[in-house]
Amino acid sequence: MSLLLLAEQVLNGLQFGIMLFLMAAGLTLVFGVMGLINLAHGSLFMVGAFAAAAVAGATGSFVLALIAALAAAAAAGALVEVLVIRRLYAREHLDQVLATFALILIFSESTRWLFGSFPLFLNIPEALSGPVTLPGGIQYSLYRLTLIAIGLAVAFGLFLLISRTRLGIQIRAGESDREMIAALGVDISKLYTIVFALGAALAGLAGALVGAIQSVQVGMGEPVLILAFVVIVIGGIGSIKGALVGAILVGLTDTLGGLLLPLFFGLFMDNAAATSTGSALASMSIYILMAIVLVVKPSGLYGAKA
Amino acid sequence: MKIKTLALATALAALGTAGLAEPLKVGMITTLSGGGAGLGIDVRDGFMLAVKQSGNTDIEVVIEDDQRKPDIAVQLADKMIQSEKVDVMTGIIWSNLAMAVIPSATAQGKIYLSPNAGPSALAGKGCHENYFNVAWQNDNLHEAAGAHATSEGYKNTFILAPNYPAGVDALTGFKGQYKGELSGELLTKLGQTDYASEIAQIRASGADSVFFFLPGGMGISFLKQYADSGIDLPVVGPAFSFDQGILQAVGDAALGVRNTSQWSKDIDNATNKAFVESFQAEYDRLPSLYASQGFDTANLLLSAMGKASVKDADAFRAALKEADFASTRGDFKFGNNNHPIQDIYVREVIKEGDVFTNKIVGVALEGHGDVYAQDCKM
């Protein structure tokens, strides 16, 4: 195995992690501020991808497609918050899980009804397609590099939003004591709708960005959702910083595990057995990581003390 | 007097055909919602098109959606057998669902015609006189891909498939017919959508070609990312990643890729031409291989209905086994294990106007059966 391959895989892991962060950020905010488990977060990811594919198909512009994805996911998020989610804050987690699971089914079937059962086409914009050569001779996809840049910019923006703005103060206050900030005269229901729509918009953005290199199809959000839950558990629920660190950890573990574990088993096993054992362990690696983090820090890396 | 004779003749004629005009109820369990719905919808539409074209009013089809979940498929099968009292079952797309439903349905005396899944467990020792596969045994298209790679002179192929039974079978099928060396072999996660890591390994491996089996959305993701990576090695795969429903989503990234299939819309026979035209007229899209399989399944069933009553199980099975219908694939017959013996073609992805589709460039395997048939005691 060459150093070049390893470097490329580190970049891949980073890019994967950054995209997970966009999903996990919304999830962790909603859980942290409203105490709500939102299984339908993956559907908002899908809404973003479908909106982007539809607009890109109609106009041919990737920038417009991204704007459409943000707008559609935020609008869908706000609508769902007002119509359904709002009624769930006071109820127990089981009710929330059931209701948001129902939302997944409703989103999926409505999307199929609108767009049909076949995957849609959304491609990388011409200007960003193809590989570039990085210092050291690594050939790497320009689009993936752009994804890393956009993701880091969003992370920085979120950090500023949370630490420097009035909305950020309210969000942080909401995380530590919901009743108290309502008592202090903050319009809590408006705050909830904004937080929910913000999380939805981030998920929609991730859906559109990832949709260009993956398949835009019904149900595309659910596998990502599971990983996003792993990320927020590792990072500590409610913590944006935790979500970022957790996402990059999960991305790197997953990518490097898939590469290194089969090689490691190849040292003392024959090829076929090493491939299957290595692949099996690699699929488990992020869950093993989660288990280790939980043993050492039960409330996650940056979680508040339980 | 004359009228009396006429009436008698009519009555006799009616008696004579009574055995053939027996009504028949078909239970179709297929995937109509969720991620894999495109396949089930194509099978259903192909099947119903054939029924409609036959004008046969004795056939009744009950259609249910299994949501790609084995437990739901089992419930639906129970319902169809016990309360709907169907005679024939069909429709299942996925091998894991097929394994959950078919053995118990055939054991209860129902005829099962598979329009897609062909798990090896049902082709060898587990074969059954009531089970007919009208599509292929799971390994077939991968074996053809291996044969094609060999005939193209590839010496150092990199192969990958998802880590589940059909994926492992795919790699086995490919290796069975491939004579070169492997530069690498990967089992990816089922449902994986990001292949950056695998593509980096392909780049580093020094391979001269790539074989992959990644059905549905996995294949779309892989091909788009592969095209963007700048690697320029030839790719071969089974038709599942290049069917009509998926190609439009992959776009230019798929152009020129060779894939193996038992069916293509340009197979030159009258049945196929009529099928492609009427499918387009009826549903306003090009048919996929799944649609052709649904269409052939219905025509096989209709041909058997014309020969024997479903109430006479032995005669009906014999009528099915004759496969006396005009297949969209041209030559089609059943082997001893009730699985197809057919030609498997190599197709290339092309662009016709604005639409991506396939054209045949050669035959990979002629009159090909499957390796499990010898284990079938039937």
Side-chain angles (χ1 to χ4, degrees), chain A residues 32-51:
Chain A
V33 178
M34 292 102 126
L36 175 95
I37 297 180
N38 179 22
L39 291 185
H41 204 65
S43 299
L44 299 164
F45 177 85
M46 176 183 76
V47 167
F50 271 85

Side-chain angles (χ1 to χ4, degrees), chain B residues 153-171:
Chain B
Y154 298 151
K155 299 266 179 295
N156 205 14
T157 303
F158 194 102
I159 63 177
L160 69 157
N163 195 3
Y164 80 121
V168 177
D169 283 355
L171 297 186

